[in-house]
Amino acid sequence: MELAFDFKRFALLIRRESALSYKPVLIALGGILGALVLNFISIVMDQYSSPRELSFHEGAYTAFLLIGGFVFSSLAFSSLHHPLRKFGYLLLPASSLEKYLSMLVLTSIGWLLGFTLVYKVFAEVANGITHAITPVTVIPFNPFGETELGGIKIYIIVQAMFLCGAAYFKNYTLFRTLLTLLIVGMLLSFAAYLVFADMIYVGENIQEPNESFKEFVEKDLPEIAEFMFHWVMAPLFWVIGYFAVKEKEV
């Protein structure tokens, strides 16, 4: 049954998880809105004396989408790690695949749609009030703009790491996930240094890299890194996270 998938059971599981998490999400959205309002007012007041077209929503939407989404994703599977709620969660009539996919949908698509809707309402109200009482013109929020779509793509990719961390770590999930990513990044950087150092240094002397090495570093390596980031990283962490949930259920 571990790989079994039933859509009706999956939909019921999403409804259950939504009912359990909507209050914390609303509280988090309230905090985000408060921070957005304060940030928006401070920037508008700063531009009041010399009004110009203000581009606020591009950066603010992406920043709060990522920060809020990563925190929300880190809270996934809290029932699986809670000593009192753990057995109830394990006894749910759903497979490990359904449980993991339900959290994946809620923390990725669910958060994305919910936050975008809330931000759209905030942007329309904030822009309308600003245009009515100040000379500042704020560029309207467009969720389909190039910057916004880029932020959404980055969120879907990077969020997979925080969901994986939520499946593995029992407590201090966000902190431990960030620390793990930092350590892994440092180890990869050190390994890359060792590899490339052998190609550049000969004893104590530095040799000029040949043309093929330059082409690899300047052209091929960035393309490989971009491909890994956009197409490999998220599925890899999804698979790792699924097996983490499955392992804890066993």
Side-chain angles (χ1 to χ4, degrees):
M1 180 178 174
E2 291 302 323
L3 288 174
F5 183 86
D6 180 82
F7 184 79
K8 183 178 180 180
R9 194 167 56 208
F10 175 68
L12 291 173
L13 188 59
I14 287 185
R15 188 172 69 176
R16 176 188 181 275
E17 296 297 339
S18 300
L20 291 175
S21 61
Y22 84 94
K23 288 184 179 180
V25 170
L26 288 179
I27 294 174
L29 285 174
I32 290 175
L33 279 176
L36 278 171
V37 170
L38 292 175
N39 192 18
F40 184 80
I41 292 175
S42 66
I43 293 178
V44 170
M45 294 303 295
D46 184 60
Q47 300 295 325
Y48 191 86
S49 58
S50 56
R52 59 183 177 83
E53 198 171 49
L54 178 62
S55 177
F56 172 83
H57 297 299
E58 287 184 350
Y61 170 79
T62 301
F64 284 96
L65 171 71
L66 297 178
I67 295 172
F70 295 159
V71 174
F72 180 44
S73 299
S74 298
L75 298 176
F77 304 110
S78 57
S79 297
L80 181 60
H81 303 306
H82 195 280
L84 298 179
R85 300 198 303 264
K86 178 178 181 178
F87 293 104
Y89 185 79
L90 293 175
L91 292 175
L92 287 175
S95 66
S96 300
L97 179 63
E98 290 163 347
K99 292 175 181 177
Y100 185 77
L101 288 179
S102 66
M103 286 298 181
L104 175 59
V105 170
L106 286 175
T107 56
S108 57
I109 299 175
W111 170 258
L112 179 60
L113 294 178
F115 178 78
T116 303
L117 177 62
V118 170
Y119 193 94
K120 180 65 175 178
V121 174
F122 158 76
E124 293 297 327
V125 174
N127 287 10
I129 295 175
T130 302
H131 293 168
I133 65 176
T134 74
V136 179
T137 301
V138 184
I139 298 176
F141 168 61
N142 177 19
F144 302 104
E146 182 178 356
T147 302
E148 289 82 356
L149 290 178
I152 290 172
K153 186 175 182 179
I154 292 174
Y155 174 71
I156 294 297
I157 295 171
V158 181
Q159 179 265 347
M161 296 188 292
F162 290 87
L163 185 64
C164 180
Y168 260 105
F169 301 125
K170 291 184 178 181
N171 45 35
Y172 305 107
T173 305
L174 180 62
F175 172 76
R176 294 172 73 176
T177 302
L178 290 172
L179 182 61
T180 301
L181 294 176
L182 177 62
I183 293 174
V184 171
M186 293 173 63
L187 292 176
L188 289 176
S189 299
F190 183 67
Y193 168 77
L194 293 179
V195 171
F196 292 138
D198 288 339
M199 299 180 181
I200 297 176
Y201 290 94
V202 178
E204 297 181 354
N205 300 319
I206 300 177
Q207 66 175 355
E208 182 70 20
N210 56 43
E211 291 301 322
S212 61
F213 177 76
K214 287 183 178 180
E215 182 179 359
F216 173 76
V217 172
E218 295 175 359
K219 180 181 178 182
D220 297 337
L221 187 59
E223 291 180 355
I224 294 173
E226 182 179 2
F227 176 82
M228 295 291 291
F229 178 78
H230 286 109
W231 303 107
V232 177
M233 192 169 76
L236 175 63
F237 280 98
W238 289 338
V239 172
I240 295 174
Y242 162 72
F243 281 106
V245 173
K246 183 178 179 180
E247 178 186 359
K248 284 181 170 52
E249 289 204 323
V250 173

